[in-house]
Amino acid sequence: MEIPHLMQEQYKKAREIIENSSDIKIYSHIDCDGICSGAILSTILDRQNKTHEVEFVNLDVLDDMELNHELTIFSDLGSGQRIDTNAKNGQKIIILDHHPPLRELDYADGKEYTYLEINPMHHGIDGSYYVCGGGLCYFLAKEFGYDDLSWIGVLSAIGDMQNTKSGHFEGLNEIIQQDAIDGGYLEVTKNDINIYGRNTRPLFVALSYFSDVKLPITNNTNETMAVLEELGIDEKHNRKTLNELTQAEKGKLFQYLFKVISKVVPGKYVQYIPQLIIADAYTFLKEDEDSFLRDASEFSTAMNACGRNHEEIIAMEVLKGDRIIALDELESVSKTHRYNLATSIARIAESDETNIIEMENLQYFDGDGIKPEIVGTITGMILGYCNWKKPVIGFTQTDDKGLKISLRCSRLLSYDGIHFGNIIREVAAEVGGSGGGHSMACGAYIPIEKKSEFLELFNEKLNGKLTN
């Protein structure tokens, strides 16, 4: 895939707007993709000697916001929000977003302010798998000649799970990946075992987190140790990481996983099992070999940890090159984040009486006391304790009047063609809220008194869509 001609012209226009602006504000999202987007844009402006501000925000603050700068840039958000209702004559707006747009491509026509929205969906490109917010920002950097930021574009795509469905990058993401490889920033290991913590976790621990389908090894390190010893690829007194396995040993592990998953999924899903087990792995060659930043998945997790704990600036400074003070702070935030996740998981899923409630077509838990910023992460981790054939929904309060909702599901459900992001948007709107997101990971905000109605409507919308 190549960048469409009209999209390339938009990038030229964006560069021109930036070069002719001096009072600039960037708004970006709080997740890994948003933080990467903000870091790329901030680096562009630094190199152009443009004074600017960067603010990381949730989507719910954007509608009808005041615009107080000559140029306002929105990255990894803005397309689905009413960000220009207060735009004044002479102001400039640039949006670099991959989410479904509210406005058409010709929206700027006749406006008294400059409006430029670069969204792949306007050009027939799927923003869920072919390019994300950070990727769009990278192409702007490339317009300025800053190809060295390609690795951040790769990191943003990993954080946005752009490779989740197929196990590798597709579409415009392939261009970014190749730029990073050509620049010496990235090494791609094709078709590796897809387990988190390739460098930093003992294999028996990493394997226990397999959660797309609940297996005997899921959340059971005693079982994973026994399995690995039986396969002859790990020893009791010489524990290995995934990266230390030979190709033959990885082959044994693949055969084991394929066999046990095949026993617990309906026959129609067997063709997709390799995609649960195998995926490309990404190594950042400029990072220290013993650093968790070297593996793209672990790096993206650290970025998300900062976003979920309102420390996005720390993450951005690491991306912009600070490997001393900001990196120490990043490690501290990550440690606190892991503790908060572990205690929440223990309370919801590992107590004597489970707090996961199962309905006909979905399952949910009440995350009372859980910060809204981390309920999505916890919901994803809860998958390993649930019925994989149904999506799991987590609730937590934002204030006295509102609920934050996060939904996660097994990747197998996405192969049925179910787009939960579209469903949650529709149901949330019906109960007076808002929502959206990706097919396997999405969320919503609704009034607190609408919880039961939301669950009933969502359960009803899924009738006949799920595998029995």
Side-chain angles (χ1 to χ4, degrees):
M1 183 181 291
E2 296 181 351
I3 299 178
H5 176 73
L6 179 55
M7 195 173 183
Q8 193 64 63
E9 291 299 312
Q10 288 183 305
Y11 277 114
K12 291 178 181 178
K13 178 66 175 176
R15 176 177 177 173
E16 179 184 321
I17 292 171
I18 289 172
E19 288 177 335
N20 291 291
S21 301
S22 56
D23 176 25
I24 304 172
K25 177 68 176 280
I26 298 167
Y27 289 100
S28 201
H29 200 205
I30 65 167
D31 61 7
C32 176
D33 187 18
I35 295 169
C36 289
S37 300
I40 292 172
L41 293 175
S42 182
T43 302
I44 293 171
L45 297 178
D46 284 345
R47 294 178 181 181
Q48 292 292 305
N49 296 314
K50 299 287 185 181
T51 302
H52 62 280
E53 301 174 31
V54 182
E55 185 174 347
F56 295 95
V57 297
N58 266 315
L59 304 180
D60 55 349
V61 307
L62 294 179
D63 284 343
D64 307 318
M65 71 185 308
E66 292 294 328
L67 302 180
N68 299 311
H69 297 77
E70 177 189 357
L71 168 61
T72 307
I73 306 176
F74 297 90
S75 56
D76 193 37
L77 41 68
S79 283
Q81 292 77 41
R82 300 187 304 273
I83 48 81
D84 67 322
T85 53
N86 295 313
K88 304 177 186 67
N89 187 12
Q91 287 185 322
K92 307 168 191 175
I93 296 170
I94 297 175
I95 299 175
L96 296 149
D97 193 9
H98 64 123
H99 297 100
L102 292 175
R103 296 163 288 271
E104 299 296 330
L105 187 58
D106 60 356
Y107 182 77
D109 295 351
K111 297 289 187 296
E112 294 182 342
Y113 52 91
T114 299
Y115 180 92
L116 175 62
E117 180 172 357
I118 304 179
N119 189 304
M121 299 185 75
H122 282 148
H123 306 277
I125 298 172
D126 188 342
S128 295
Y129 301 110
Y130 293 159
V131 69
C132 63
L136 294 171
C137 292
Y138 167 66
F139 286 122
L140 178 59
K142 192 172 181 178
E143 181 67 31
F144 281 90
Y146 304 145
D147 296 37
D148 59 306
L149 302 182
S150 54
W151 71 272
I152 306 181
V154 170
L155 179 61
S156 66
I158 293 292
D160 199 60
M161 303 185 294
Q162 295 261 314
N163 63 331
T164 302
K165 194 169 184 179
S166 66
H168 58 268
F169 285 142
E170 301 176 277
L172 297 182
N173 286 323
E174 290 186 86
I175 299 175
I176 305 170
Q177 174 179 278
Q178 193 59 51
D179 285 353
I181 292 171
D182 292 344
Y185 304 100
L186 178 70
E187 179 181 81
V188 179
T189 303
K190 304 296 289 185
N191 300 319
D192 200 4
I193 300 291
N194 186 21
I195 296 175
Y196 181 84
R198 295 182 301 141
N199 277 323
T200 59
R201 284 180 174 174
L203 181 57
F204 77 90
V205 174
L207 192 58
S208 71
Y209 284 96
F210 188 93
S211 61
D212 269 292
V213 179
K214 191 172 183 180
L215 302 173
I217 59 172
T218 304
N219 301 313
N220 189 340
T221 53
N222 288 331
E223 183 68 18
T224 57
M225 284 189 283
V227 166
L228 294 172
E229 289 169 16
E230 184 177 338
L231 292 173
I233 60 178
D234 205 14
E235 302 171 3
K236 185 174 183 179
H237 301 294
N238 183 29
R239 297 298 179 190
K240 299 177 182 177
T241 63
L242 177 63
N243 270 356
E244 292 174 310
L245 298 189
T246 65
Q247 285 303 114
E249 289 171 332
K250 289 180 180 180
K252 288 181 181 180
L253 183 54
F254 172 84
Q255 292 298 330
Y256 163 77
L257 289 171
F258 188 93
K259 180 180 177 181
V260 293
I261 296 172
S262 297
K263 291 180 179 179
V264 297
V265 302
K268 71 172 186 173
Y269 289 126
V270 171
Q271 62 180 313
Y272 302 118
I273 293 176
Q275 291 167 242
L276 299 183
I277 307 171
I278 298 294
D280 293 349
Y282 306 87
T283 301
F284 293 126
L285 298 176
K286 301 296 185 181
E287 305 296 339
D288 291 342
E289 288 194 12
D290 58 350
S291 171
F292 66 94
L293 301 183
R294 194 166 172 88
D295 177 73
S297 292
E298 294 188 61
F299 201 149
S300 70
T301 297
M303 296 294 97
N304 278 320
C306 287
R308 303 315 180 202
N309 290 278
H310 305 294
E311 299 286 4
E312 299 90 353
I313 299 299
I314 292 174
M316 184 177 73
E317 291 305 319
V318 169
L319 291 170
K320 292 176 69 175
D322 186 343
R323 293 296 187 276
I324 302 175
I325 296 174
L327 182 56
D328 287 343
E329 293 174 334
L330 176 64
E331 290 176 336
S332 177
V333 171
S334 296
K335 183 178 180 180
T336 300
H337 184 63
R338 288 193 297 269
Y339 173 79
N340 291 336
L341 294 179
T343 53
S344 297
I345 293 293
R347 179 163 58 85
I348 296 165
E350 295 176 343
S351 57
D352 293 336
E353 187 172 327
T354 181
N355 293 302
I356 302 167
I357 300 166
E358 192 163 349
M359 299 176 66
E360 182 182 2
N361 296 316
L362 58 86
Q363 52 210 323
Y364 70 93
F365 65 89
D366 289 309
D368 294 333
I370 293 175
K371 294 193 300 182
E373 292 83 0
I374 67 171
V375 69
T377 305
I378 291 168
T379 306
M381 297 174 72
I382 289 291
L383 273 173
Y385 299 85
C386 294
N387 178 355
W388 69 268
K389 296 181 181 180
K390 301 177 183 180
V392 59
I393 292 173
F395 292 91
T396 195
Q397 285 186 230
T398 56
D399 50 37
D400 292 340
K401 297 181 180 179
L403 286 176
K404 166 73 181 294
I405 301 170
S406 287
L407 179 149
R408 301 292 185 271
C409 73
S410 168
R411 281 176 287 172
L412 288 177
L413 297 189
S414 71
Y415 299 125
D416 282 334
I418 305 172
H419 197 296
F420 287 105
N422 292 338
I423 297 173
I424 207 168
R425 180 187 299 110
E426 181 181 342
V427 175
E430 289 185 35
V431 299
S434 62
H438 301 297
S439 59
M440 295 175 287
C442 53
Y445 294 89
I446 64 168
I448 195 167
E449 70 274 9
K450 296 291 187 177
K451 176 186 171 185
S452 295
E453 184 180 351
F454 174 89
L455 284 169
E456 290 170 7
L457 284 171
F458 207 105
N459 189 61
E460 183 180 320
K461 294 281 186 185
L462 294 181
N463 281 338
K465 290 185 170 66
L466 302 177
T467 298
N468 295 324

